[in-house]
Amino acid sequence: MRKLRMDLPESSVDIMNDLAEKEGVVPGEILRRALSILIAYDRQIAKGRNHLGFVSDPGNLDAELVGILKAPVHHHSTAR
């Protein structure tokens, strides 16, 4: 397994730690789970399904998330 160092806002670290404690896992497991969700979402997008939703009844969408894989656009100058 490879280690990864990353900078996160303090609020994200707090949420990650709270979730880890609630689930009885280490914070890294929370990140692995989050990445698994993004991978599944990416695979669904490839099939033309571009919404991620939450349901209490499969016939009724309670909430949906859209655009979560779209990274903010950063404009970098290529001039040298």
Side-chain angles (χ1 to χ4, degrees), residues 31-46 68-69:
L31 291 176
R32 284 189 284 278
R33 290 177 183 182
L35 183 56
S36 293
I37 293 168
L38 288 173
I39 291 167
Y41 182 53
D42 185 57
R43 290 179 180 158
Q44 292 303 310
I45 286 175
I68 60 172
L69 286 185

Side-chain angles (χ1 to χ4, degrees), residues 16 20 25-33:
M16 182 178 59
V25 298
V26 297
E29 177 62 20
I30 298 301
L31 291 176
R32 284 189 284 278
R33 290 177 183 182

Side-chain angles (χ1 to χ4, degrees), residues 53-62:
F54 297 93
V55 299
S56 54
D57 170 2
N60 225 356
L61 183 63
D62 295 324

